[in-house]
Amino acid sequence: MPHTEIEGALEGKGLRVAVAVARFNSFITDRLLGGALDGLRRSGVAETDVTVVRVPGSWELPVTVKALAESGKYDGIICLGAVIRGETPHFDYVAGEAAKGIGQAMMATGVPVAFGVLTTNTLEQAIDRAGAKSGNKGFDAAATVIEMTSVLRQIRGT
Ligand code: INI
């Protein structure tokens, strides 16, 4: 007997998506947001079904994602930020807590959350991932959230 296979569709029509974006390092995060909105639009998500939430920094993303997920208003969430190491140990706290908290919010609510938070050693590495040499992680995050919404709906039979 052939096995059963579940694979997500990259069809965003009818999906309601929230994008939480950090203003810190906005030079980078504005580009991630552009990539994410482009990805959503090109996958068929209606502009009127997209909500963008701006927060001060990546530290604020977990509580924002949790509130968005708990509201029941969104099928999927994208979070965008840029944590750049620079000279300060602040990096480790902000990057670590953002990753952990966003993961916890997804696990607690079951709402798919795409992790579009760059954690890089240099500004150049962040630029590379925000529309230069290494693509745009915001665009990738849009594709991920649409795919995961579809995967989870199939598993849950909804
Ligand atoms: N926030 C970021 O999104 N990226 C960073 O690189 C960063 N650094 O390096 O400090 C950063 N800090 C701000 C933080 O996210 C909070 O907004 C702030 O601490 C207020 O709670």
Side-chain angles (χ1 to χ4, degrees):
M1 212 168 77
H3 64 272
T4 299
E5 195 154 325
I6 292 177
E7 193 172 54
L10 289 177
E11 172 54 61
K13 195 162 174 269
L15 290 184
R16 302 157 307 163
V17 178
V19 187
V21 55
R23 274 196 306 268
F24 202 101
N25 289 323
S26 62
F27 173 74
I28 299 295
T29 62
D30 282 349
R31 281 159 180 77
L32 295 175
L33 178 61
L37 295 177
D38 184 41
L40 292 175
R41 184 182 56 81
R42 285 162 60 184
S43 306
V45 178
E47 250 181 78
T48 48
D49 285 334
V50 176
T51 300
V52 175
V53 184
R54 294 180 192 270
V55 299
S58 297
W59 177 265
E60 283 72 34
L61 287 173
V63 72
T64 309
V65 166
K66 189 159 182 278
L68 288 166
E70 285 173 348
S71 75
K73 293 180 189 163
Y74 306 101
D75 301 299
I77 298 167
I78 296 170
C79 51
L80 304 172
V83 195
I84 301 171
R85 187 175 289 278
E87 302 291 309
T88 154
H90 207 60
F91 171 94
D92 296 299
Y93 299 113
V94 175
E97 289 303 315
K100 193 174 74 188
I102 291 164
Q104 282 172 349
M106 176 165 72
M107 296 307 290
T109 60
V111 176
V113 181
F115 187 72
V117 180
L118 301 180
T119 55
T120 63
N121 287 322
T122 66
L123 178 62
E124 193 188 352
Q125 288 171 345
I127 293 169
D128 285 348
R129 291 159 178 74
K133 280 189 237 161
S134 307
N136 187 312
K137 295 297 171 198
F139 184 92
D140 296 348
T144 297
V145 84
I146 291 166
E147 180 174 348
M148 284 310 299
T149 304
S150 170
V151 166
L152 293 174
R153 278 185 173 175
Q154 290 177 64
I155 294 170
R156 292 167 178 155
T158 52

